[in-house]
Amino acid sequence: MLRFLKWKIFIIPVGLKMKFDTDKKKFLLEKSRTFCMVPWITIHTKPVGDAMPCCIANPEFIVGTSHKQSLMEIVNSPLMNRLRLDMLNERESKPCVSCYKHEDEGIHTFRNTVNKEYGQYFTESLKDTKPDGSLKNFKMRYFDIRFDNICNFKCRTCSPEYSSQWEQENRKQGIPIHFEKGTNKPEFIQGVLDQVDNMECVYFAGGEPLITEEHYLILEELLRKNKKDTELRYNTNLSNLKFKDKNIIELWRQFNKPVQVYASIDHYGDRANYIRHGTIKWSNVESNLIELSEESSVDLHFQTVMSIFNSLTLDDFFRYLREIGVHGKKKKLSHPIFMMYNPRFLTSQILPKKLKDLTILRIKKLAYEMEQSQFHKHSVPKVKEIENWIYAFDLWFKQKSKFREEIERLDKLRGESFENTFPELAGLLSDEKQNIFTATK
């Protein structure tokens, strides 16, 4: 349940001739529980067209669709207008529950970051806000538009909404698709292109951005308008550095700041292909990793998802990256580990207790090794947090049937073998072998 604060604060007459004094600005940007610059400087669209205030907003809070509306129709939709007014008047909002929860737990949030990085536009943004919460002059400072779910992978930890390969596979199997596939309205795309002059940070994710047509459209428009100081950020599977006649490294070299590339890779070799199906030629991905680690126009980082598949062998994966020279090329390397939450039958929480114990032992070892190396401090696994999370729920007996059913289904469909790929986890497939885990119900 949301907690609506009862203590009195100033009620802001939005967007008017009023001048915002320093104290009020400082309160909203630094002390307010609800205020966030997001609705004034960005909008997020998912690969299937659903629009949200940002990528971590409550997924049920859909403010529009890029398939049927223009950019400004979404920005000034009734829900977005209401959100801005609620934020200004210290009213908690349903789309923002993730930030509220994390901040209650002492975790730094996207809201904290955005208010700090874009607070300089506070006065300008508020002056452009009308009494109904709509904006007279929206300026997209932060770009996070996902134009399509096109992807050459179908990761086991993903979904059809973010992967065209997953979507096609499910359609062939007669599995219902819970979204309406469409194309972006031309007025929406043009509206985004018209915002290029305002963009300070452009974040590309997917689907897979490096094989998405609109991604190159935005890059080339940035270059055409000489916006070479724009910060570029990517989440990519790094399977392709060339698309049609485009060479992404040649494009990146034309920008003034190093491009921040976050590789979405959870393991190497056959294990990588099993988790993120599509990594058939691991040697190609390895070659791309090595090339980018040596490229001066790129800052290469990683974002690894911890799931049931790699919980016991994350330290092996990190050791491998060190052996091929990708880890250790620079100081303060960023390689955070994110815990997978859904689907629950693939999370580390379903492991029997003995395997959870072993996971924590190996994570502790990995954390120690990272502390002794050149990793940025925020990348070193917070062992206590991982330990608390893994042991928070004992899901094996509740989820084992669904786990086995889905493993068997996809193994047969994709010609893969969980047992051969993850021999250390093979016992999970059979109750007859459960004695090796000494799991208790």
Side-chain angles (χ1 to χ4, degrees):
M1 179 181 294
L2 296 177
R3 296 171 299 158
F4 295 91
L5 304 183
K6 296 182 180 179
W7 45 278
K8 293 183 179 180
I9 63 167
F10 48 90
I11 303 299
I12 300 176
V14 184
L16 314 168
K17 304 173 182 177
M18 167 184 182
K19 292 184 179 178
F20 296 91
D21 63 50
T22 304
D23 288 342
K24 292 177 180 177
K25 176 180 177 180
K26 184 177 179 64
F27 172 82
L28 286 175
L29 289 175
E30 299 178 15
K31 297 181 180 180
S32 168
R33 177 176 172 80
T34 67
F35 182 79
C36 178
M37 287 295 298
V38 158
W40 282 269
I41 55 95
T42 190
I43 196 75
H44 168 70
T45 60
K46 297 166 72 174
V48 294
D50 291 341
M52 301 159 58
C54 70
C55 66
I56 60 173
N58 184 334
E60 296 178 0
F61 192 83
I62 306 301
V63 300
T65 172
S66 61
H67 296 165
K68 298 178 181 179
Q69 295 170 286
S70 68
L71 177 66
M72 289 309 299
E73 285 174 336
I74 295 172
V75 167
N76 284 331
S77 65
L79 288 174
M80 286 298 294
N81 296 345
R82 182 72 259 168
L83 178 62
R84 282 185 279 266
L85 293 177
D86 285 344
M87 286 182 171
L88 288 168
N89 290 298
E90 204 66 13
R91 290 192 292 263
E92 293 189 4
S93 303
K94 289 183 179 179
C96 306
V97 292
S98 291
C99 280
Y100 301 150
K101 180 177 184 296
H102 288 156
E103 287 172 19
D104 285 342
E105 297 168 351
I107 299 173
H108 191 83
T109 63
F110 186 54
R111 184 183 84 95
N112 300 145
T113 299
V114 168
N115 283 352
K116 182 177 180 179
E117 293 185 359
Y118 297 95
Q120 60 184 306
Y121 299 113
F122 174 88
T123 302
E124 170 189 283
S125 298
L126 270 290
K127 285 181 178 178
D128 282 335
T129 308
K130 298 178 182 179
D132 65 353
S134 63
L135 299 180
K136 292 182 288 186
N137 186 23
F138 172 68
K139 293 183 179 179
M140 185 184 287
R141 306 292 182 181
Y142 179 79
F143 169 96
D144 185 11
I145 302 294
R146 320 286 173 91
F147 288 106
D148 204 323
N149 71 339
I150 187 167
C151 187
N152 54 339
F153 282 18
K154 40 189 174 184
C155 307
R156 297 230 179 190
T157 53
C158 192
S159 69
E161 191 174 16
Y162 290 90
S163 166
S164 55
Q165 291 291 316
W166 253 109
E167 180 190 352
Q168 292 171 19
E169 184 176 79
N170 278 13
R171 289 188 188 279
K172 288 179 181 178
Q173 295 295 307
I175 298 174
I177 301 295
H178 301 290
F179 58 84
E180 180 183 347
K181 192 67 183 285
T183 56
N184 292 302
K185 191 173 181 179
E187 291 86 345
F188 175 81
I189 294 179
Q190 186 57 53
V192 174
L193 290 173
D194 290 341
Q195 290 287 336
V196 163
D197 283 327
N198 300 318
M199 295 175 188
E200 294 188 8
C201 179
V202 175
Y203 172 50
F204 292 112
E208 171 49 40
L210 298 187
I211 58 171
T212 303
E213 295 275 3
E214 291 88 348
H215 155 252
Y216 293 93
L217 189 65
I218 296 295
L219 272 192
E220 290 172 344
E221 187 69 1
L222 285 166
L223 290 172
R224 188 181 73 82
K225 293 194 170 184
N226 201 33
K227 289 276 293 178
K228 296 182 180 181
D229 283 330
T230 305
E231 180 180 353
L232 302 180
R233 297 178 188 170
Y234 285 82
N235 271 119
T236 167
N237 60 40
L238 279 188
S239 58
N240 294 279
L241 298 181
K242 294 182 180 179
F243 176 69
K244 297 183 178 180
D245 61 340
K246 315 291 185 185
N247 184 311
I248 190 60
I249 293 181
E250 291 179 359
L251 288 169
W252 286 344
R253 286 173 178 167
Q254 297 179 57
F255 288 85
N256 297 332
K257 299 177 182 178
V259 178
Q260 305 300 309
V261 176
Y262 293 85
S264 297
I265 301 176
D266 305 324
H267 226 301
Y268 68 97
D270 291 341
R271 293 173 183 241
N273 184 54
Y274 188 97
I275 299 170
R276 296 183 180 269
H277 184 93
T279 325
I280 297 174
K281 280 196 172 183
W282 171 255
S283 59
N284 289 348
V285 177
E286 180 183 280
S287 176
N288 291 341
L289 284 171
I290 293 172
E291 182 176 0
L292 290 189
S293 71
E294 298 171 346
E295 173 58 43
S296 61
S297 68
V298 171
D299 276 345
L300 177 63
H301 309 283
F302 291 81
Q303 288 191 340
T304 290
V305 176
M306 180 178 172
S307 67
I308 192 172
F309 300 115
N310 60 4
S311 294
L312 292 176
T313 54
L314 275 176
D315 53 340
D316 289 340
F317 175 44
F318 275 66
R319 199 170 297 116
Y320 163 81
L321 293 174
R322 184 168 64 246
E323 288 172 357
I324 66 172
V326 172
H327 277 180
K329 281 278 177 68
K330 65 176 186 177
K331 295 181 179 179
K332 294 187 177 180
L333 176 70
S334 177
H335 192 154
I337 297 170
F338 297 94
M339 289 170 283
M340 178 184 172
Y341 289 85
N342 282 301
R344 298 196 78 181
F345 60 83
L346 293 182
T347 72
S348 303
Q349 288 181 327
I350 83 160
L351 289 169
K353 184 179 183 304
K354 188 172 182 179
L355 292 188
K356 288 182 178 180
D357 295 343
L358 183 55
T359 292
I360 295 304
L361 285 175
R362 298 191 69 156
I363 289 293
K364 286 180 178 178
K365 179 182 178 182
L366 174 60
Y368 175 78
E369 291 177 355
M370 292 174 71
E371 286 173 347
Q372 305 306 308
S373 301
Q374 296 177 318
F375 288 89
H376 193 286
K377 63 180 181 180
H378 73 73
S379 294
V380 179
K382 296 180 180 178
V383 177
K384 195 62 179 175
E385 287 184 5
I386 294 176
E387 188 172 5
N388 290 342
W389 180 78
I390 283 181
Y391 290 116
F393 296 95
D394 181 11
L395 299 179
W396 174 245
F397 292 97
K398 291 182 179 179
Q399 297 287 342
K400 67 176 182 178
S401 295
K402 180 62 177 176
F403 164 76
R404 291 171 178 171
E405 175 187 319
E406 191 66 5
I407 291 296
E408 181 180 2
R409 182 183 77 84
L410 288 181
D411 277 5
K412 183 177 181 180
L413 185 62
R414 298 177 180 180
E416 297 174 337
S417 171
F418 176 85
E419 187 172 11
N420 292 340
T421 308
F422 305 99
E424 72 280 6
L425 298 174
L428 296 176
L429 299 179
S430 170
D431 280 336
E432 286 71 29
K433 297 181 182 180
Q434 281 302 295
N435 61 325
I436 68 171
F437 300 130
T438 62
T440 56
K441 191 169 182 177

